[in-house]
Amino acid sequence: GDSVTQMEGPVTLSEEAFLTINCTYTATGYPSLFWYVQYPGEGLQLLLKATKADDKGSNKGFEATYRKETTSFHLEKGSVQVSDSAVYFCALGFGNEKLTFGTGTRLTIIP
Amino acid sequence: DSGVTQTPKHLITATGQRVTLRCSPRSGDLSVYWYQQSLDQGLQFLIQYYNGEERAKGNILERFSAQQFPDLHSELNLSSLELGDSALYFCASRSGTGNNSPLHFGNGTRLTVT
């Protein structure tokens, strides 16, 4: 079945550092890919998405590029802030079917 | 605010009991999804409804059931509760029309079984 693999956390970085959270997927066909973020005590919020190969999703300084050849959708940000501390989930989905999520990566940014 | 409302926020109950979790989707959203989030298993898809009908089932135990009502709100019923059912239960909704529209999540119900 479909699956998403994320890098293990937790990840701790200093403010203004460069961030990469790796995400690879296994799926039959070409899914849409998503990054969601979960702040403490809240539900998941869509951060960005890409619906086809070579698409780049971006939002709030975060970017991820849909790489079909490596089945990857790595999340990057050039300069992280304390407010970026959260749990990040990579996910895949087809049409209006369910989303399949990775296990999440906890990110902590220290001032 | 995602527009998805879940009640209650917290629930503490004993093993063997039955509970009902409620979800009101965003206005106009026809699809509702239930997920279970536990520390050791991440986010697990339980079940999906579309306009009152079951659309897809995931790793939902036989002790669990759900339904979506004509007003589109949904309920997840958990019975014969076990300690291992302690988790965060999330509801999410999407419009159900078009493709690849994002899921909008509620803030979850934290269930503690003692």
Side-chain angles (χ1 to χ4, degrees), chain A residues 32 36 49 96-99, chain B residues 33 35 45 94 98 100 103:
Chain A
S32 294
Y36 279 79
K49 73 173 188 180
N96 286 317
E97 296 178 6
K98 66 175 174 66
L99 294 188
Chain B
Y33 305 74
Y35 283 84
F45 168 70
R94 64 168 25 135
N100 305 311
L103 287 184

Side-chain angles (χ1 to χ4, degrees), chain B residues 93-107:
Chain B
S93 72
R94 64 168 25 135
S95 66
T97 59
N99 276 330
N100 305 311
S101 56
L103 287 184
H104 298 270
F105 281 81
N107 287 342

Side-chain angles (χ1 to χ4, degrees), chain B residues 24-45:
Chain B
S24 294
R26 285 191 326 156
S27 177
D29 282 358
L30 300 176
S31 283
V32 169
Y33 305 74
W34 286 97
Y35 283 84
Q36 179 192 58
Q37 185 180 33
S38 55
L39 280 175
D40 58 345
Q41 293 203 18
L43 268 166
Q44 298 292 314
F45 168 70

Side-chain angles (χ1 to χ4, degrees), chain A residues 98, chain B residues 21 32-36 41 43-49 54-67 74-79 85 89-90:
Chain A
K98 66 175 174 66
Chain B
L21 283 52
V32 169
Y33 305 74
W34 286 97
Y35 283 84
Q36 179 192 58
Q41 293 203 18
L43 268 166
Q44 298 292 314
F45 168 70
L46 296 178
I47 198 163
Q48 175 196 358
Y49 281 83
E54 182 183 302
R55 180 59 64 92
K57 256 186 178 179
N59 301 321
I60 188 165
L61 300 172
E62 284 193 13
R63 300 184 285 108
F64 295 1
S65 65
Q67 54 185 323
S74 178
E75 293 181 355
L76 179 66
N77 300 295
L78 315 176
S79 62
D85 297 327
Y89 291 84
F90 284 106

Side-chain angles (χ1 to χ4, degrees), chain A residues 48-91:
Chain A
L48 53 85
K49 73 173 188 180
T51 58
K52 62 183 188 297
D54 300 325
D55 267 3
K56 178 187 283 189
S58 61
N59 186 25
K60 299 180 181 178
F62 291 90
E63 294 182 339
T65 301
Y66 190 143
R67 301 285 187 203
K68 185 177 69 172
E69 60 277 8
T70 54
T71 61
S72 65
F73 193 54
H74 304 321
L75 183 67
E76 296 182 336
K77 186 175 185 183
S79 176
V80 293
Q81 306 301 312
V82 172
S83 56
D84 294 326
S85 298
V87 181
Y88 291 80
F89 292 89
C90 185

